[in-house]
Amino acid sequence: AEARARAEESLALFTHLGDEKGMALALNNLGEAAFLQGDYAQASASVQDSLKRSERMGDQWTMAVALHNTGRLAWARGNAEEAERAYQQSWQVYVRERSHLGMVECLEGLIALYATTDPLRGARLYGLTTNWRRRAETPLPPVDAPALEKAAASMQAALGEQRYAQVFAEGQAAPLEEALPS
């Protein structure tokens, strides 16, 4: 609730200043806060507004964040196809922007999706992202941990403990840039 209130304040200030980039960023933050509160309608409206603004400005990084949040919303609403498409679009922008953290966050979104549709791919990506975060000393935000833990348990159940461990280890050895086609 506090984050949402601050995002609304930021949006009002950036609107008053006429700062389009600031508005796009504040809208993304507002969308994320609304998402975490389960207000998907507000989250979607804010994120889509941010996406349109960032596209108009040609602000690639803000566009990538908005596409990532679009994927999160689609997945939460049960639309796996739309979620995968948005995550992959976000991935492509992050690759162009050379944002490794953004790339990893897209892969983490896909892990939850692949846990039920392609557990081999999901387990490989989980190994890759876990290793990247460890090497980069960039821990997984606590708010994102439950979804990945649930996905890992689902993949382990589907693949069996030994096969899961093998595929996870393969992912740990994979280079980040080759995780998805660009």
Side-chain angles (χ1 to χ4, degrees):
E2 179 76 16
R4 191 169 179 173
R6 297 296 159 248
E8 289 169 347
E9 284 179 30
S10 294
L11 179 58
L13 288 170
F14 285 123
T15 300
H16 177 73
L17 294 171
D19 182 335
E20 283 292 318
K21 182 173 180 153
M23 285 186 272
L25 290 169
L27 284 161
N28 251 320
N29 292 339
L30 180 58
E32 285 187 69
F35 172 80
L36 292 171
Q37 289 182 311
D39 185 352
Y40 297 160
Q42 177 63 53
S44 182
S46 296
V47 168
Q48 291 311 304
D49 192 357
S50 176
L51 182 58
K52 288 175 189 168
R53 288 172 189 274
S54 59
E55 287 173 340
R56 269 196 316 266
M57 292 182 298
D59 182 342
Q60 298 294 300
W61 186 83
T62 306
M63 187 180 350
V65 174
L67 286 165
H68 179 265
N69 286 331
T70 300
R72 289 175 73 192
L73 280 160
W75 178 247
R77 289 180 161 165
N79 189 335
E81 235 175 74
E82 182 184 342
E84 183 172 22
R85 185 173 40 255
Y87 282 133
Q88 289 191 0
Q89 288 173 335
S90 181
W91 163 270
Q92 291 169 0
V93 177
Y94 279 131
V95 167
R96 286 194 304 270
E97 293 295 302
R98 293 176 168 62
S99 172
H100 289 152
L101 179 57
M103 293 161 64
V104 166
E105 289 174 345
C106 288
L107 296 178
E108 289 167 344
L110 287 167
I111 290 166
L113 188 148
Y114 293 148
T116 56
T117 62
D118 190 349
L120 282 171
R121 189 173 191 188
R124 185 174 191 277
L125 290 179
Y126 194 36
L128 186 154
T129 61
T130 301
N131 190 44
W132 184 90
R133 282 191 177 279
R134 182 188 53 74
R135 283 191 348 254
E137 297 180 4
T138 306
L140 181 69
V143 71
D144 294 332
L148 285 177
E149 290 166 2
K150 181 179 176 184
S154 173
M155 292 181 294
Q156 193 169 21
L159 298 173
E161 194 170 317
Q162 185 175 5
R163 182 71 173 132
Y164 172 80
Q166 176 190 4
V167 175
F168 183 89
E170 290 169 7
Q172 289 183 307
L176 176 61
E177 291 77 5
E178 295 175 16
L180 290 177
S182 46

